[in-house]
Amino acid sequence: TEDPRFYFDTIIMVCIFISTICLAVDEPIPPEVAKEQFILDRTAILTAIDVALTMIFGIEMLLKMLSLGFIFGPNAYWRVGWHIMDGAVVIIAFISFFSSLSGNSGGSLKALKALRAFRALRPLRAVSRVPSLKTMVNAILMSFPAVMSAFVINLLFMVIFSIMGVQMFAGTFDY
């Protein structure tokens, strides 16, 4: 007998893959231009797929919260960093979906439509399901302090040489 979670995780990974493909194919074209170029059909299909995937990811989030617990417990959904990232991506997708569903073109709703940019985080959901990727991303995140100190030293040298360059070549390249 196989683990029933295998099928669930496989279906979710396929959905993440489809979502990534849709994000790569999607073009932010205004509706007026899309009508002229006959791109409206593709945009409608991608929107329908995005809505379906958002619903699937929402159901996944609810099922995980029911099985793991909401906040209480050592492995509760909102206590594990990867689940928090997954939940945030799904919640932002729902906010974006409902803001576009209202159809009102007010300024506040246009600001909410900017949340669609966070759909780019959907492929990161795959990281939490592949242990070797999770280990690699954790190692990269743990190396940030050392990288930041090297970045600051590099930035310091760049500022010093920039000041020297401005002093040496001041007025030489008039154009």
Side-chain angles (χ1 to χ4, degrees):
T1 61
E2 290 188 28
D3 187 14
R5 290 182 295 177
F6 172 77
Y7 296 112
F8 181 76
D9 286 340
T10 303
I11 291 170
I12 296 301
M13 284 294 287
V14 168
C15 288
I16 291 170
F17 180 73
I18 292 170
S19 173
T20 304
I21 297 296
C22 289
L23 285 173
V25 174
D26 194 15
E27 297 179 45
I29 299 176
E32 305 84 36
V33 177
K35 285 180 186 176
E36 293 174 7
Q37 297 180 357
F38 304 107
I39 301 176
L40 202 55
D41 293 335
R42 184 177 69 187
T43 305
I45 291 169
L46 289 175
T47 302
I49 292 172
D50 185 44
V51 168
L53 291 173
T54 300
M55 295 301 164
I56 290 171
F57 293 144
I59 291 169
E60 177 215 7
M61 184 176 84
L62 288 175
L63 288 174
K64 281 193 170 185
M65 281 194 288
L66 287 174
S67 66
L68 298 174
F70 189 71
I71 293 177
F72 304 108
N75 293 325
Y77 189 83
W78 293 107
R79 286 188 178 233
V80 178
W82 292 104
H83 293 262
I84 292 170
M85 193 235 358
D86 285 350
V89 169
V90 171
I91 289 170
I92 289 171
F94 272 114
I95 292 171
S96 172
F97 170 68
F98 288 125
S99 70
S100 66
L101 191 66
S102 68
N104 189 353
S105 60
S108 63
L109 291 180
K110 284 185 179 179
L112 286 177
K113 287 183 182 180
L115 291 175
R116 290 176 54 95
F118 284 100
R119 291 185 312 165
L121 294 176
R122 277 188 184 171
L124 282 178
R125 299 183 76 226
V127 172
S128 65
R129 286 164 177 75
V130 180
S132 59
L133 277 177
K134 192 187 294 189
T135 303
M136 186 172 57
V137 169
N138 283 336
I140 290 171
L141 292 176
M142 296 298 286
S143 70
F144 268 155
V147 171
M148 288 306 293
S149 62
F151 173 74
V152 169
I153 291 171
N154 188 17
L155 186 65
L156 180 66
F157 277 104
M158 290 174 75
V159 167
I160 291 170
F161 284 107
S162 297
I163 293 171
M164 286 175 47
V166 167
Q167 291 299 316
M168 286 175 38
F169 300 115
T172 304
F173 301 112
D174 290 334
Y175 53 90

